[in-house]
Amino acid sequence: MKDQGEPGLEGWTIQLDLDADDSVDLTTQTAADGSYSFADVGPGTHRIREVLQQGWTQTSADPDDVTVVSGQDVSDIDFGNFELVTIAGVKFEDEDGDGEKDAGEPGLEGWTIQLDLDADGSVDLTTQTGPDGSYSFAGVG
């Protein structure tokens, strides 16, 4: 469900399958506010899907098929999406113990860094620090 203040996403492809048989019959693009529409669609059971863009994940379930009758308009068939992020940093030797990486303090290679994606106390991903102590987790939702 779209929360207040969440922006719409422009330029996303939305597909309409007119008889819910897993074939794409019509497509449209979302407007600047994320809205879309298919006009003059006849009665029947229809399926609406989005085309996921690279670097994003769909956060809402695919909507149920929509059954419409003559003269009935249908709205609020929404899709939620989250842009994936990268989490990165440096593991370093804090020679003076001040909690900050100062000039000349070396990165530490070969250390294991753990990521708990949902803060439930379990390790979901690990990576090793590089020669300069750097690490990253890409494509995180």
PDB file of all heavy atoms in Angstrom, residues 25-41:
ATOM      1  N   ASP A  25      -1.287  -8.384 -23.924  1.00  0.00           N
ATOM      2  CA  ASP A  25      -2.094  -7.831 -25.006  1.00  0.00           C
ATOM      3  C   ASP A  25      -1.878  -6.327 -25.185  1.00  0.00           C
ATOM      4  O   ASP A  25      -1.911  -5.827 -26.301  1.00  0.00           O
ATOM      5  CB  ASP A  25      -3.579  -8.115 -24.746  1.00  0.00           C
ATOM      6  CG  ASP A  25      -3.861  -9.607 -24.732  1.00  0.00           C
ATOM      7  OD1 ASP A  25      -3.609 -10.273 -25.745  1.00  0.00           O
ATOM      8  OD2 ASP A  25      -4.312 -10.111 -23.686  1.00  0.00           O
ATOM      9  N   LEU A  26      -1.679  -5.613 -24.082  1.00  0.00           N
ATOM     10  CA  LEU A  26      -1.484  -4.169 -24.132  1.00  0.00           C
ATOM     11  C   LEU A  26      -0.421  -3.759 -23.123  1.00  0.00           C
ATOM     12  O   LEU A  26      -0.273  -4.401 -22.080  1.00  0.00           O
ATOM     13  CB  LEU A  26      -2.784  -3.431 -23.789  1.00  0.00           C
ATOM     14  CG  LEU A  26      -3.984  -3.650 -24.699  1.00  0.00           C
ATOM     15  CD1 LEU A  26      -5.239  -3.033 -24.069  1.00  0.00           C
ATOM     16  CD2 LEU A  26      -3.731  -3.040 -26.069  1.00  0.00           C
ATOM     17  N   THR A  27       0.313  -2.698 -23.425  1.00  0.00           N
ATOM     18  CA  THR A  27       1.254  -2.124 -22.473  1.00  0.00           C
ATOM     19  C   THR A  27       1.060  -0.612 -22.433  1.00  0.00           C
ATOM     20  O   THR A  27       0.551  -0.010 -23.389  1.00  0.00           O
ATOM     21  CB  THR A  27       2.720  -2.422 -22.838  1.00  0.00           C
ATOM     22  OG1 THR A  27       3.028  -1.816 -24.089  1.00  0.00           O
ATOM     23  CG2 THR A  27       2.995  -3.916 -22.901  1.00  0.00           C
ATOM     24  N   THR A  28       1.472  -0.032 -21.331  1.00  0.00           N
ATOM     25  CA  THR A  28       1.471   1.422 -21.188  1.00  0.00           C
ATOM     26  C   THR A  28       2.614   1.795 -20.264  1.00  0.00           C
ATOM     27  O   THR A  28       3.191   0.934 -19.591  1.00  0.00           O
ATOM     28  CB  THR A  28       0.116   1.934 -20.647  1.00  0.00           C
ATOM     29  OG1 THR A  28       0.070   3.360 -20.774  1.00  0.00           O
ATOM     30  CG2 THR A  28      -0.112   1.527 -19.208  1.00  0.00           C
ATOM     31  N   GLN A  29       2.953   3.080 -20.223  1.00  0.00           N
ATOM     32  CA  GLN A  29       4.012   3.593 -19.365  1.00  0.00           C
ATOM     33  C   GLN A  29       3.402   4.426 -18.244  1.00  0.00           C
ATOM     34  O   GLN A  29       2.407   5.126 -18.457  1.00  0.00           O
ATOM     35  CB  GLN A  29       4.979   4.482 -20.171  1.00  0.00           C
ATOM     36  CG  GLN A  29       5.695   3.758 -21.291  1.00  0.00           C
ATOM     37  CD  GLN A  29       6.702   2.762 -20.764  1.00  0.00           C
ATOM     38  OE1 GLN A  29       7.534   3.095 -19.936  1.00  0.00           O
ATOM     39  NE2 GLN A  29       6.630   1.522 -21.224  1.00  0.00           N
ATOM     40  N   THR A  30       4.013   4.368 -17.078  1.00  0.00           N
ATOM     41  CA  THR A  30       3.534   5.184 -15.978  1.00  0.00           C
ATOM     42  C   THR A  30       3.888   6.654 -16.221  1.00  0.00           C
ATOM     43  O   THR A  30       4.925   6.968 -16.799  1.00  0.00           O
ATOM     44  CB  THR A  30       4.125   4.729 -14.629  1.00  0.00           C
ATOM     45  OG1 THR A  30       5.560   4.759 -14.702  1.00  0.00           O
ATOM     46  CG2 THR A  30       3.647   3.335 -14.267  1.00  0.00           C
ATOM     47  N   ALA A  31       3.011   7.531 -15.755  1.00  0.00           N
ATOM     48  CA  ALA A  31       3.201   8.981 -15.879  1.00  0.00           C
ATOM     49  C   ALA A  31       4.145   9.469 -14.775  1.00  0.00           C
ATOM     50  O   ALA A  31       4.598   8.688 -13.931  1.00  0.00           O
ATOM     51  CB  ALA A  31       1.848   9.678 -15.775  1.00  0.00           C
ATOM     52  N   ALA A  32       4.411  10.759 -14.753  1.00  0.00           N
ATOM     53  CA  ALA A  32       5.325  11.357 -13.778  1.00  0.00           C
ATOM     54  C   ALA A  32       4.919  11.044 -12.340  1.00  0.00           C
ATOM     55  O   ALA A  32       5.773  10.896 -11.469  1.00  0.00           O
ATOM     56  CB  ALA A  32       5.419  12.855 -13.987  1.00  0.00           C
ATOM     57  N   ASP A  33       3.629  10.924 -12.076  1.00  0.00           N
ATOM     58  CA  ASP A  33       3.148  10.621 -10.720  1.00  0.00           C
ATOM     59  C   ASP A  33       2.993   9.120 -10.463  1.00  0.00           C
ATOM     60  O   ASP A  33       2.491   8.705  -9.432  1.00  0.00           O
ATOM     61  CB  ASP A  33       1.831  11.336 -10.449  1.00  0.00           C
ATOM     62  CG  ASP A  33       0.686  10.858 -11.338  1.00  0.00           C
ATOM     63  OD1 ASP A  33       0.912  10.017 -12.244  1.00  0.00           O
ATOM     64  OD2 ASP A  33      -0.444  11.331 -11.136  1.00  0.00           O
ATOM     65  N   GLY A  34       3.412   8.300 -11.428  1.00  0.00           N
ATOM     66  CA  GLY A  34       3.331   6.846 -11.281  1.00  0.00           C
ATOM     67  C   GLY A  34       2.019   6.245 -11.737  1.00  0.00           C
ATOM     68  O   GLY A  34       1.856   5.027 -11.755  1.00  0.00           O
ATOM     69  N   SER A  35       1.073   7.085 -12.139  1.00  0.00           N
ATOM     70  CA  SER A  35      -0.239   6.578 -12.547  1.00  0.00           C
ATOM     71  C   SER A  35      -0.174   5.962 -13.948  1.00  0.00           C
ATOM     72  O   SER A  35       0.721   6.252 -14.738  1.00  0.00           O
ATOM     73  CB  SER A  35      -1.273   7.701 -12.520  1.00  0.00           C
ATOM     74  OG  SER A  35      -0.950   8.690 -13.487  1.00  0.00           O
ATOM     75  N   TYR A  36      -1.152   5.105 -14.216  1.00  0.00           N
ATOM     76  CA  TYR A  36      -1.290   4.486 -15.540  1.00  0.00           C
ATOM     77  C   TYR A  36      -2.754   4.142 -15.735  1.00  0.00           C
ATOM     78  O   TYR A  36      -3.525   4.071 -14.786  1.00  0.00           O
ATOM     79  CB  TYR A  36      -0.420   3.232 -15.664  1.00  0.00           C
ATOM     80  CG  TYR A  36      -0.886   2.086 -14.794  1.00  0.00           C
ATOM     81  CD1 TYR A  36      -1.757   1.133 -15.305  1.00  0.00           C
ATOM     82  CD2 TYR A  36      -0.498   1.978 -13.468  1.00  0.00           C
ATOM     83  CE1 TYR A  36      -2.223   0.087 -14.510  1.00  0.00           C
ATOM     84  CE2 TYR A  36      -0.950   0.939 -12.674  1.00  0.00           C
ATOM     85  CZ  TYR A  36      -1.809  -0.003 -13.198  1.00  0.00           C
ATOM     86  OH  TYR A  36      -2.269  -1.024 -12.419  1.00  0.00           O
ATOM     87  N   SER A  37      -3.129   3.913 -16.982  1.00  0.00           N
ATOM     88  CA  SER A  37      -4.499   3.457 -17.239  1.00  0.00           C
ATOM     89  C   SER A  37      -4.559   2.761 -18.585  1.00  0.00           C
ATOM     90  O   SER A  37      -3.722   2.989 -19.463  1.00  0.00           O
ATOM     91  CB  SER A  37      -5.490   4.621 -17.199  1.00  0.00           C
ATOM     92  OG  SER A  37      -5.239   5.514 -18.258  1.00  0.00           O
ATOM     93  N   PHE A  38      -5.550   1.909 -18.715  1.00  0.00           N
ATOM     94  CA  PHE A  38      -5.909   1.262 -19.973  1.00  0.00           C
ATOM     95  C   PHE A  38      -7.363   1.636 -20.220  1.00  0.00           C
ATOM     96  O   PHE A  38      -8.232   1.311 -19.417  1.00  0.00           O
ATOM     97  CB  PHE A  38      -5.761  -0.259 -19.880  1.00  0.00           C
ATOM     98  CG  PHE A  38      -4.347  -0.730 -19.700  1.00  0.00           C
ATOM     99  CD1 PHE A  38      -3.849  -1.030 -18.431  1.00  0.00           C
ATOM    100  CD2 PHE A  38      -3.513  -0.879 -20.790  1.00  0.00           C
ATOM    101  CE1 PHE A  38      -2.551  -1.473 -18.262  1.00  0.00           C
ATOM    102  CE2 PHE A  38      -2.203  -1.319 -20.635  1.00  0.00           C
ATOM    103  CZ  PHE A  38      -1.724  -1.616 -19.367  1.00  0.00           C
ATOM    104  N   ALA A  39      -7.633   2.337 -21.325  1.00  0.00           N
ATOM    105  CA  ALA A  39      -8.990   2.808 -21.612  1.00  0.00           C
ATOM    106  C   ALA A  39      -9.723   1.831 -22.533  1.00  0.00           C
ATOM    107  O   ALA A  39      -9.104   1.108 -23.316  1.00  0.00           O
ATOM    108  CB  ALA A  39      -8.939   4.187 -22.264  1.00  0.00           C
ATOM    109  N   ASP A  40     -11.026   1.837 -22.417  1.00  0.00           N
ATOM    110  CA  ASP A  40     -11.912   1.090 -23.305  1.00  0.00           C
ATOM    111  C   ASP A  40     -11.608  -0.408 -23.341  1.00  0.00           C
ATOM    112  O   ASP A  40     -11.595  -1.031 -24.398  1.00  0.00           O
ATOM    113  CB  ASP A  40     -11.857   1.676 -24.734  1.00  0.00           C
ATOM    114  CG  ASP A  40     -12.277   3.129 -24.770  1.00  0.00           C
ATOM    115  OD1 ASP A  40     -13.207   3.493 -24.008  1.00  0.00           O
ATOM    116  OD2 ASP A  40     -11.679   3.900 -25.529  1.00  0.00           O
ATOM    117  N   VAL A  41     -11.387  -0.972 -22.172  1.00  0.00           N
ATOM    118  CA  VAL A  41     -11.158  -2.414 -22.046  1.00  0.00           C
ATOM    119  C   VAL A  41     -12.515  -3.074 -21.825  1.00  0.00           C
ATOM    120  O   VAL A  41     -13.313  -2.606 -21.014  1.00  0.00           O
ATOM    121  CB  VAL A  41     -10.211  -2.710 -20.866  1.00  0.00           C
ATOM    122  CG1 VAL A  41     -10.070  -4.198 -20.653  1.00  0.00           C
ATOM    123  CG2 VAL A  41      -8.863  -2.060 -21.107  1.00  0.00           C
TER     124      VAL A  41
END
